[in-house]
Amino acid sequence: MKLIGISGSPSSRSKTLAAVETAVRHAAERHPAVEAEVLSLVDYDLVFCDGRDPSLYEGDTRRVIDKVVEADALVVGTPIYRATYTGILKNLFDLLPNDALLGKPVGLVATAGSDHHYLAIEHELKPLVGFFQAHALPGAVYAKNEHFDGGELVDRGVIRELEKLAEAVVAFCERQRGPLVGASAPTIERRTPFETGEGES
């Protein structure tokens, strides 16, 4: 089982990354069959999505797309800015093929300064995952500044919740045995603005 953790923080060493690493590390340590990797998006030179077919991107962009497509399950984390996920994470999801997450379990992690943006998980992250016909695990983890000390996650309650999230992602993937997505989504053709005429001056 390939488990990918994604940190959508624009900071090189972030609370979000620490939380995602905690969950993914637990899954790898407890389950020998799990092949785990954490992608901190700030470490990759991802180009901005321009609407082209995902197969046409190159370099870091191509590598990150391929890693997500090849994953069987994901843990996705983001700091909450202005009540939503970061631009760097949005760009990654814009780059992905429409079927990249089809039927896959996704554990969600959000970090913020206070409890103010807790519902961003429900109103922003879960719909994003739902668009890709992936399974957002019902229980998500929300961590705030007081749960960290010097960038290190120290709150035992949050750590336990991240471990539970990791266990649920692995268990879901093991039991599902193939895509389970229900009705098909409408076919969405990718075209650049110039192909549609919207990019003409």
Side-chain angles (χ1 to χ4, degrees):
M1 179 193 305
K2 292 185 178 180
L3 173 64
I4 293 290
I6 297 174
S7 170
S9 173
S11 301
S12 57
R13 185 64 206 177
S14 71
K15 298 178 180 71
T16 301
L17 178 58
V20 171
E21 285 177 336
T22 297
V24 173
R25 181 172 59 247
H26 175 81
E29 290 174 351
R30 290 289 299 274
H31 301 275
V34 171
E35 179 184 334
E37 182 178 3
V38 174
L39 306 179
S40 181
L41 297 185
V42 72
D43 294 336
Y44 294 86
D45 185 19
L46 299 182
V47 302
F48 283 111
C49 177
D50 58 14
R52 80 182 86 162
D53 187 289
S55 65
L56 299 178
Y57 290 101
E58 300 176 343
D60 276 4
T61 306
R62 168 85 269 131
R63 283 188 284 276
V64 171
I65 290 173
D66 287 346
K67 286 178 181 292
V68 174
V69 169
E70 292 167 4
D72 299 302
L74 300 94
V75 173
V76 177
T78 179
I80 302 298
Y81 297 154
R82 301 294 191 265
T84 191
Y85 44 85
T86 61
I88 193 173
L89 184 64
K90 176 64 165 68
N91 185 53
L92 171 62
F93 278 90
D94 287 344
L95 290 164
L96 294 175
N98 293 327
D99 61 354
L101 306 181
L102 187 70
K104 298 177 182 180
V106 180
L108 295 173
V109 177
T111 60
S114 69
D115 289 328
H116 190 67
H117 292 305
Y118 174 76
L119 288 178
I121 294 171
E122 301 296 328
H123 297 296
E124 299 289 338
L125 288 171
K126 287 186 178 180
L128 176 65
V129 171
F131 169 83
F132 285 89
Q133 292 187 283
H135 297 281
L137 272 290
V141 178
Y142 186 88
K144 52 188 179 180
N145 286 349
E146 66 188 55
H147 297 143
F148 297 83
D149 183 10
E152 180 183 355
L153 179 60
V154 295
D155 187 275
R156 292 304 309 169
V158 173
I159 292 171
R160 283 193 297 271
E161 293 305 311
L162 287 165
E163 292 173 350
K164 286 166 59 178
L165 180 69
E167 291 288 346
V169 169
V170 172
F172 191 107
C173 194
E174 288 177 339
R175 296 172 186 174
Q176 184 176 323
R177 298 180 185 276
L180 181 64
V181 295
S184 299
T187 300
I188 303 168
E189 182 181 357
R190 281 181 177 262
R191 293 190 296 171
T192 67
F194 291 98
E195 290 175 318
T196 62
E198 297 173 4
E200 298 174 357
S201 59

